[in-house]
Amino acid sequence: MANRSSARADMLRSAAQLFRRRGVEATSLADVIDHAGAPRGSIYHHFPGGKPQLVEEATRNAGAAMSAMISAGLASAGPAATVRAIIDGFRSELLATDYVAGCPVAPAALEGLHAPAAVAAAGESFSSWEDVIAASLWQRGLARERSYTLATISIAAIEGALIVAKAQRSTTALDRTETELLALLGAVLDASNPPRP
């Protein structure tokens, strides 16, 4: 039973990695099997819904892993340090993969024509990331609506900068986005928590 569970988890991890690097449409089920080192034919045993099911579940898993990382960062280091860590992680991935690897859930959002459940999973992942960032900002004294606005701006800016960085084969877009987001978050948090006399 452990082997079946492990093989399934390996295929989900492999799928997420391949989607990040190649995209959904350019990744075949055979690619996932080879990357995971899984037996031929096993993919339909674990994912009877075929590629749409695999894309959806890989997207959900990747989104949940990212959400857990964001939550842990917010709890231990706060919003600004967490935004910096997210951008640093993406920057490192870009450099390590020669500007190939992107966000783990964006491929489903961008290429989910044949997997609407995967598009929904990507949307839910982005919403989850916004929710945890907004909650952290709200706990630091910002109004609820302002917290959500800043959370959305942060996620949208990082995702957009990641796409631009891949296309330009440069981390400049991420670097500039990091500078401005950290300045914005710092100013807003300072204004909501002025020093006491």
Side-chain angles (χ1 to χ4, degrees):
M1 193 70 155
N3 286 342
R4 290 178 61 196
S5 175
S6 174
R8 190 175 200 285
D10 289 346
M11 283 189 272
L12 286 170
R13 276 191 298 275
S14 289
Q17 289 175 23
L18 292 171
F19 297 154
R20 282 183 80 176
R21 293 173 185 232
R22 299 179 184 177
V24 171
E25 296 301 323
T27 302
S28 69
L29 294 178
D31 293 332
V32 174
I33 290 168
D34 289 344
H35 190 273
R40 297 265 176 226
S42 63
I43 200 151
Y44 285 105
H45 172 73
H46 294 291
F47 305 98
K51 190 171 180 181
Q53 181 185 359
L54 178 65
V55 177
E56 177 191 356
E57 290 193 34
T59 301
R60 278 194 197 289
N61 281 8
M66 186 81 170
S67 187
M69 187 273 300
I70 293 170
S71 293
L74 290 167
S76 65
T82 301
V83 165
R84 181 183 291 117
I86 294 167
I87 294 173
D88 284 346
F90 282 143
R91 184 186 295 113
S92 295
E93 280 291 312
L94 283 175
L95 294 172
T97 62
D98 196 26
Y99 296 94
V100 173
C103 171
V105 303
L110 298 172
E111 302 178 65
L113 180 64
H114 304 295
V119 176
E124 290 163 13
S125 294
F126 290 134
S127 294
S128 171
W129 304 349
E130 288 175 302
D131 289 344
V132 295
I133 293 171
S136 179
L137 292 169
W138 178 77
Q139 289 168 354
R140 285 164 172 78
L142 269 66
R144 187 176 191 278
E145 187 59 35
R146 181 73 169 142
S147 297
Y148 268 97
T149 298
L150 287 170
T152 300
I153 287 170
S154 297
I155 296 301
I158 293 168
E159 291 294 325
L162 184 55
I163 291 170
V164 172
K166 286 180 70 172
Q168 293 178 339
R169 297 183 56 77
S170 166
T171 63
T172 301
L174 280 173
D175 300 338
R176 290 174 176 163
T177 297
E178 177 181 28
T179 298
E180 291 304 316
L181 280 179
L182 293 181
L184 173 61
L185 289 170
V188 170
L189 289 170
D190 287 348
S192 71
N193 296 292
R196 294 181 180 177

